Amino acid sequence: MSERTSVHTKQSSPAELGSRPIGRLLMQYSLPAIIASLATSLYNIVDSIFIGRGVGAMAIAGLAITFPLMNLIVAFCVLIAVGGATVSSIFLGQKNIGKATDVVNNVILFCLVHAIVIGSITLIWLDPILYFFGATDETIIHAREFMRVIALGTPVSYVFIGLNNLMRATGYPRKAMISALLSVAVNVVAAPLFIFVFGWGIAGAAWATILGQFSAFIWVLAHFLSKKSFVHFDPHRSFCSVSLLKRMYSIGMSPFL
């Protein structure tokens, strides 16, 4: 056994997925995901309270208008994030660590490409899109102010979501949960500060969201830059694989739709 393989065996790794009881693995991987989802849902409620009390009822209406657009933006990220996580799991099941590493490199690249394209389209046609989703002359002011910040932050959001899915798929469900909780915690602290203290209005809530995601982005990026991680970033591996992109698209298309 090579030195690299022996080191990885001692560490937390996806190798346990092929040997441990399924029920135990289900609890180990699902509970952190459930906790992270609950925390995110609770944050959305708290964030709405901050906006309602700090900006006003019309701002809540403007925020509601942005939900379909934000879901659409996230969908293009899921296309790569879920597809990449699944493909990496397949390669790890085949014990092909090199190909799983290629997935990390390609997820980072294609998340950035998607973010730049989708973020630019959103910023260029923001008003027509918001009017299409039901904005009025009164609500579009708040919706526009919020979505401009969110659109500018798409590169951070996309890479965070993409790498967070990969982190869970490569054997680190608890670390993936921590990254989601970190994002929520920073959000909850920053939102009232930006809204009430700095007086940034609904844009302050958006900046708090991006700041929270940036904190989690640093967390997941540090994980994949560390050679102690079972699968980690390798600048010498493939960065732009058309075959990998096709596989990620084909698998990610279902959750995308």
Side-chain angles (χ1 to χ4, degrees):
M1 182 181 289
S2 67
E3 181 181 350
R4 181 181 178 185
T5 305
S6 62
V7 170
H8 286 157
T9 304
K10 295 176 183 177
Q11 296 173 355
S12 173
S13 81
E16 63 187 12
L17 291 171
S19 58
R20 296 182 63 187
I22 293 176
R24 191 172 175 184
L25 286 170
L26 183 62
M27 295 295 289
Q28 179 182 344
Y29 277 76
S30 63
L31 280 179
I34 292 170
I35 292 171
S37 296
L38 282 172
T40 302
S41 298
L42 288 173
Y43 164 71
N44 290 332
I45 296 171
V46 173
D47 195 36
S48 298
I49 294 172
F50 288 150
I51 293 172
R53 289 184 175 274
V55 188
M58 198 59 68
I60 292 292
L63 181 67
I65 296 297
T66 68
F67 288 159
L69 179 54
M70 286 196 290
N71 285 336
L72 187 61
I73 291 173
V74 171
F76 283 95
C77 178
V78 167
L79 187 62
I80 296 296
V82 174
T86 307
V87 172
S88 68
S89 294
I90 293 171
F91 284 136
L92 289 172
Q94 297 170 346
K95 295 180 171 53
N96 192 338
I97 308 301
K99 277 292 186 180
T101 301
D102 288 343
V103 174
V104 174
N105 295 355
N106 280 265
V107 163
I108 293 174
L109 174 65
F110 291 124
C111 276
L112 286 173
V113 171
H114 275 217
I116 292 170
V117 172
I118 301 303
S120 299
I121 291 173
T122 301
L123 286 170
I124 293 170
W125 287 288
L126 182 56
D127 279 17
I129 293 172
L130 291 174
Y131 277 121
F132 175 79
F133 284 129
T136 64
D137 291 339
E138 292 79 16
T139 59
I140 197 170
I141 299 171
H142 301 288
R144 182 196 301 126
E145 192 176 354
F146 185 84
M147 281 309 305
R148 277 178 178 169
V149 178
I150 297 298
L152 287 171
T154 48
V156 171
S157 304
Y158 273 39
V159 175
F160 157 55
I161 295 172
L163 292 183
N164 200 52
N165 277 268
L166 277 180
M167 182 184 285
R168 184 179 298 107
T170 53
Y172 300 89
R174 289 185 180 179
K175 291 188 77 173
M177 176 191 70
I178 291 172
S179 66
L181 294 178
L182 176 63
S183 174
V184 171
V186 173
N187 248 318
V188 169
V189 173
L193 181 66
F194 292 167
I195 294 172
F196 297 109
V197 179
F198 293 172
W200 290 355
I202 195 170
W207 280 116
T209 298
I210 299 302
L211 180 61
Q213 291 178 344
F214 181 75
S215 303
F217 161 81
I218 296 298
W219 169 266
V220 295
L221 190 63
H223 168 83
F224 282 104
L225 287 176
S226 172
K227 292 184 178 180
K228 294 180 180 180
S229 301
F230 190 83
V231 177
H232 53 80
F233 174 77
D234 186 347
H236 303 294
R237 299 290 306 188
S238 169
F239 265 97
C240 188
S241 170
V242 176
S243 61
L244 273 181
L245 181 62
K246 287 180 179 178
R247 293 188 69 176
M248 287 190 286
Y249 268 28
S250 63
I251 294 172
M253 186 57 66
S254 176
F256 164 78
L257 293 175

